[in-house]
Amino acid sequence: MPEADLLGLGAAVLIAGLLARLARRYGLPSVPCYMLVGIALGPGTPGPVLIGHPAELAVIAALGLVLLLFHLGVEFPVDEVLGGGRRLVVAASCYIGLNMTAGLLFGFALGWGASSALVVAGALGISSSAIVTKLLIELHRLTNAETPVILGIIVLEDLFLAFYLALLSPVLSAGDTTGEIVRDIALSFGMLAALLLVARFGARAVGRLLDTREDEVLAVVTIGLVVLVAGTAQEAGVSDAIGALLTGLVVARTRLRERVERLVTPLRDVFAAVFFVAFGLSIDTGHLGAVVVPVALAVAVTVVANLSAGIITARLFGFNQRGAANIGLTVLGRGEFSLILATLALSAGLDARIGPFVALYVLVLAVLSPMLAAHSRYLARVMPDWLLRRDWTYVREETISTSCTHLDQVRVTETDAEECPECVASGSDWVALRLCTSCGFVGCCDDSPHRHASEHAARTRHPIIQSAQPGEDWKWCFVDETLVRAPLGTKR
């Protein structure tokens, strides 16, 4: 690498890191910051150019891509997926199916070719695990009832990612005939199956190969193995990303997993930053104007598909409007996988507009997703009851939490009462009935003139009430001021 580009790379990475630090203060993800620095200081933008020959960063950027996918494989929680149950698989399938189908149809509508449509489908269809997880933490939603479902969806998305890459790589390899494409797909899935078998039966041997007490040596041999497998996959006509991802799955099954994760994470972060900066360097801002309208439409398509999947998931798990809105808007962010696909497409010589299109699409959603997720209450307010299984009329905007410590005081969950006794005694009317789950007292709701249920809770310090209206069984904790339910998988 020429000295000028080495100097430029150092300056670009430093600026990217400082911008990312500033963005995190305002709750924004770091990936768009890295891209923006590459776009602003690259040869495709008028003004100062720090790196005049982005192609010379190809190997470093490829290492960033490989480490991203490897670390994803190491972190992949297989046990959580297997224990997620049928509803989680159905919810994730609906989410992936809706978003991928919408993305594929949109890709064909763009008219950039079938291969480009498959890339657009993946870019629009798969959310960013990093952005989703970061949002859940920053919005303090880790104890929300819908959060385990959101995490399950993004985990199953990551699993789908491996199979999609195995399908897409041969298509992008420019095979001349249908037979060659079929052969390449068979080879790709064959290598995928082989690495899965190694993950299942060869993890112990891999562990012995890597095992050492020295952290330095462990880091070196691990990175060497990852790059070797990724390079072998690439030489075999399969994406290097697949090789890296599945190597991570193998290492995750060894007793070295935690050490490897600790050692590789800083390397992943540094080289991934270079990857995203390099992607930005490849963007010619002169092409952004031509993709503004397609990006706006793509964002609208993604929002509609995500909200549809959120509603379906809420119906499956019995969540209210707030839960449906939280699911649909939290998994809205797109990031690293979309950029990886765009990089593969540009390397394969597909339509040059894919790069600017994906870059702008990711940037818009990176800003829009946190804003919409933080204000999901307003969407929940206008979401009609008929979309969901239960009548959530009075609590459509409220968060359902699994952190309530008063559930052990729930002793009564059914009543035959059809009136508020205290309202009857005083000759008053009521709007809806509430059941005290501690003692069985039935009183009127807070929309009623006398609010007997709340009055009873304040007097007796009984924490939880349940709706006594036909077709409703939601519970509200006065102490925690939230809807409550037991965590998924526990007896209620």
Side-chain angles (χ1 to χ4, degrees), residues 406 409 436 438 455-464 478-479:
H406 308 98
Q409 299 184 45
C436 174
S438 294
E455 181 185 85
H456 169 80
R459 184 176 67 253
T460 63
R461 298 187 180 277
H462 292 169
I464 297 176
F478 285 101
V479 178

Side-chain angles (χ1 to χ4, degrees), residues 210-218 255-256 259 262-263:
L210 300 178
D211 197 7
T212 175
R213 295 181 180 180
E214 300 292 334
D215 284 351
E216 175 188 348
V217 177
L218 177 59
R255 63 187 182 87
L256 300 172
R259 285 181 63 201
R262 173 174 56 84
L263 293 171

Side-chain angles (χ1 to χ4, degrees), residues 385-400:
D385 289 336
W386 58 265
L387 287 174
L388 303 169
R389 286 185 172 180
R390 301 179 184 180
D391 189 348
W392 299 98
T393 303
Y394 294 100
V395 289
R396 63 174 63 235
E397 301 176 39
E398 303 297 337
T399 297
I400 304 176

Side-chain angles (χ1 to χ4, degrees), residues 23-74:
R24 291 197 172 188
R25 291 182 180 178
Y26 298 95
L28 297 175
S30 56
V31 169
C33 299
Y34 303 147
M35 292 169 51
L36 282 173
V37 170
I39 293 172
L41 302 177
T45 303
V49 176
L50 288 183
I51 301 175
H53 306 283
E56 294 181 355
L57 298 180
V59 174
I60 302 177
L63 185 57
L65 168 62
V66 165
L67 291 180
L68 271 173
L69 272 295
F70 169 71
H71 198 265
L72 179 62
V74 172

